[in-house]
Amino acid sequence: MKTAVRWLGSGLLVVGLAIGGYILGMRFADGPSGVFIGGPFKTGKISEAPDDWTFLKGRMEIEFQTMTPDSSRVVWLGVLDQRLYVVSGYMNTTIGKIWKHWPHRLSEDDRVILRIDGELYEQRLVRLMEHPRLSDLMAIYAEKYGAGLVSEGPDQLQSALTRGDFWLFEVVDRL
């Protein structure tokens, strides 16, 4: 019995070290890999950002890199009225507090680089505390990803945004 427990413990240690090594190695990669945070972008061509982000409506995910620290990730997106939005959910949950560091870091440096089809767009993510069409925007997320607060009324959605249950960012030009 003790031998089986030792083998199991050793196996779990090896698996844990392999996963940890992979995650650490991703910090040096050219962008993210799935749900794993990646390093800064090494490939892509700097391009002027479009005035109209509608071409991304059917896109499920985009990559973006924060500057402080210079790491990258994949996020879901929403396009409304030709403008591009990113939502970070679960902000007031235990999982969100462990997993979601990038939104907090944007308060120190909101500069990001979006990488879309090999094009790099130097932008900023500006946190919004309200939006006149918040229900429409959340309906886009719900339709696209099957998740969201769409069943909530406009007042409840605004309250959840104000409480910080989810954070809403608009992609804007860098100044």
Side-chain angles (χ1 to χ4, degrees):
M1 181 69 160
K2 286 183 180 182
T3 303
V5 170
R6 266 192 228 148
W7 276 104
L8 179 62
S10 297
L12 289 174
L13 178 64
V14 167
V15 168
L17 288 173
I19 291 171
Y22 179 77
I23 292 170
L24 180 63
M26 284 305 302
R27 300 272 182 182
F28 303 101
D30 176 23
S33 174
V35 298
F36 294 105
I37 295 171
F41 298 142
K42 297 173 186 164
T43 60
K45 180 182 110 191
I46 298 284
S47 300
E48 186 174 329
D51 293 328
D52 179 353
W53 293 97
T54 306
F55 73 98
L56 292 175
K57 272 192 172 186
R59 182 77 52 110
M60 295 300 284
E61 301 171 333
I62 57 173
E63 297 177 326
F64 81 92
Q65 172 189 323
T66 55
M67 308 319 273
T68 310
D70 59 349
S71 60
S72 57
R73 61 207 26 82
V74 173
V75 291
W76 290 352
L77 64 137
V79 177
L80 178 67
D81 298 333
Q82 303 174 345
R83 298 168 97 154
L84 179 57
Y85 298 91
V86 173
V87 170
S88 180
Y90 309 107
M91 294 302 291
N92 286 332
T93 66
T94 302
I95 295 262
K97 289 174 183 173
I98 294 169
W99 177 31
K100 301 280 186 148
H101 297 278
W102 67 264
H104 298 284
R105 292 183 180 136
L106 289 173
S107 64
E108 298 165 22
D109 186 354
D110 65 359
R111 297 174 302 142
V112 296
I113 300 173
L114 305 178
R115 183 164 64 181
I116 303 165
D117 298 330
E119 303 287 323
L120 301 175
Y121 303 105
E122 296 178 322
Q123 300 286 268
R124 292 176 28 242
L125 287 183
V126 176
R127 184 176 178 196
L128 303 177
M129 296 306 289
E130 59 184 30
H131 192 283
R133 296 188 54 205
L134 185 58
S135 294
D136 295 335
L137 188 54
M138 292 300 102
I140 289 168
Y141 275 89
E143 181 180 322
K144 209 172 188 184
Y145 304 108
L149 303 168
V150 100
S151 62
E152 302 289 331
D155 292 338
Q156 290 86 0
L157 274 173
Q158 181 56 56
S159 179
L161 181 61
T162 302
R163 273 193 317 269
D165 293 345
F166 67 98
W167 289 15
L168 174 63
F169 296 92
E170 182 176 0
V171 175
V172 300
D173 286 331
R174 252 193 222 181
L175 299 175

